[in-house]
């Protein structure tokens, strides 16, 4: 079954204790992304990756790190979590597109989302 | 600054009504506009729009894009209680491959 998986699904932790949220997809997608969702603020992109070893900052990258060593995995790392990082986190993946062929009709926007990770930092 | 604005923020209608959800955007290097549906879990993809005036349709849902006026609408006809959800609009940019979401429209369908 084509899917994006995230672990853990729920996490309560304390300020300053490093944590990693894993994300994995089995669709051979090029593009992967992390979002946080907060009431009244909607979905905001934290980091994204167009391919292996290529990562870029989204709109709210402060306090987060990512890596893309393999195509299927895109972990989100909080080196020193703070209470303002309490949120619902989603990982997503999509086919991506071929820059050399200009816009080929595929899109990074047709994303498949993971089930979400609810993080509470006390 | 790139932004996506959805309206209304929330909407309550009766089953069988038709609803129109709005999405306007201001982004540099627009590539596509996206609609997602989010029930009590992760968003699921509905439509991608790249060209003005071409309607995308899936069952009772349809959407259209106006690139001159920088907006899109999502129509749902003959609404059902299962249509209750948050509908998210997003824009994909060419310049830096970001995806920018609006805050969503929360739709509640009364039986």
């Amino acid at each position: 079954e084509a899917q994006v998986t995230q672990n853990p699904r729920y996490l309560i932790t304390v300020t300053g204790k490093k944590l990693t949220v894993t994300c994995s997809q089995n669709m051979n997608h090029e593009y992967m992304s992390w979002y946080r969702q907060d009431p009244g603020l909607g979905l905001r992109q934290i980091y994204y990756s167009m391919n292996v070893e290529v990562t870029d900052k989204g709109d709210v990258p402060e306090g987060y790190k990512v890596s893309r060593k393999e195509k299927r995995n895109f972990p989100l790392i909080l080196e020193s979590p703070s209470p303002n990082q309490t949120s619902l986190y989603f990982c997503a993946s999509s086919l991506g597109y071929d820059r050399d062929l200009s816009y080929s009709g595929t899109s990074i926007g047709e994303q498949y989302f993971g089930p979400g990770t609810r993080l509470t930092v006390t | 600054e790139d932004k996506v604005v959805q309206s209304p923020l929330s909407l309550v209608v009766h089953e069988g009504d038709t609803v129109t959800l709005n999405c306007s955007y201001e982004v540099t290097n627009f590539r596509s506009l996206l609609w997602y549906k989010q029930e009590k879990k992760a968003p699921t993809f509905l439509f991608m729009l790249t060209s003005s005036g071409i309607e995308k349709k899936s069952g009772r849902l349809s959407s259209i894009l106006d690139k001159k006026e920088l907006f899109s609408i999502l129509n749902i006809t003959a609404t059902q209680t299962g249509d209750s959800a948050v509908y998210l609009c997003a824009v994909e940019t060419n310049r830096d491959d970001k995806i920018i979401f609006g805050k969503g429209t929360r739709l509640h369908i009364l039986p």
Side-chain angles (χ1 to χ4, degrees):
Chain A
E1 180 192 351
Q3 60 182 347
V4 179
T5 57
Q6 291 179 231
N7 282 293
R9 295 287 312 280
Y10 302 90
L11 180 60
I12 301 174
T13 190
V14 296
T15 299
K17 186 176 180 183
K18 181 179 178 180
L19 66 93
T20 299
V21 184
T22 64
C23 173
S24 183
Q25 49 93 6
N26 63 0
M27 295 168 280
N28 201 37
H29 282 170
E30 303 277 348
Y31 188 90
M32 295 187 75
S33 184
W34 276 103
Y35 297 90
R36 60 178 290 174
Q37 188 171 37
D38 303 288
L41 296 177
L43 273 168
R44 294 179 293 167
Q45 196 171 35
I46 303 171
Y47 270 95
Y48 60 97
S49 169
M50 289 296 290
N51 211 327
V52 175
E53 302 293 359
V54 179
T55 62
D56 284 293
K57 295 177 181 179
D59 286 331
V60 287
E62 295 78 18
Y64 305 95
K65 284 174 55 177
V66 292
S67 67
R68 187 95 182 270
K69 294 187 172 62
E70 308 163 275
K71 198 171 188 179
R72 63 183 292 127
N73 296 322
F74 191 45
L76 179 70
I77 302 153
L78 285 71
E79 294 270 4
S80 183
S82 62
N84 66 11
Q85 293 178 297
T86 292
S87 187
L88 178 60
Y89 291 87
F90 287 105
C91 179
S93 73
S94 57
L95 272 172
Y97 72 103
D98 190 333
R99 287 181 183 275
D100 292 336
L101 296 178
S102 72
Y103 190 58
S104 63
T106 60
S107 168
I108 61 175
E110 187 175 341
Q111 298 174 100
Y112 291 77
F113 280 79
T117 295
R118 187 165 291 282
L119 173 66
T120 302
V121 184
T122 61
Chain B
E1 184 185 335
D2 295 337
K3 63 179 180 180
V4 176
V5 178
Q6 293 186 244
S7 63
L9 289 181
S10 66
L11 187 57
V12 180
V13 300
H14 286 93
E15 207 167 18
D17 289 350
T18 293
V19 297
T20 298
L21 310 183
N22 304 296
C23 176
S24 64
Y25 61 92
E26 292 177 30
V27 299
T28 50
N29 301 107
F30 171 91
R31 182 186 296 144
S32 70
L33 186 139
L34 311 151
W35 285 98
Y36 287 83
K37 178 181 182 182
Q38 185 176 23
E39 296 171 87
K40 292 189 190 300
K41 43 189 189 318
T44 54
F45 175 80
L46 293 174
F47 297 115
M48 180 180 77
L49 302 140
T50 57
S51 301
S52 281
I54 298 175
E55 185 182 54
K56 291 281 182 98
K57 200 169 169 64
S58 176
R60 295 175 294 100
L61 276 68
S62 64
S63 183
I64 198 159
L65 174 67
D66 185 329
K67 289 169 75 173
K68 183 179 175 187
E69 299 297 329
L70 307 183
F71 79 90
S72 173
I73 60 171
L74 176 68
N75 277 323
I76 309 175
T77 59
T79 52
Q80 302 171 358
T81 54
D83 295 326
S84 294
V86 175
Y87 290 85
L88 300 167
C89 174
V91 171
E92 186 184 334
T93 67
N94 237 338
R95 179 181 49 145
D96 49 17
D97 302 313
K98 282 185 181 176
I99 298 174
I100 302 154
F101 279 82
K103 294 180 181 179
T105 293
R106 183 174 297 277
L107 176 63
H108 184 64
I109 311 296
L110 298 169

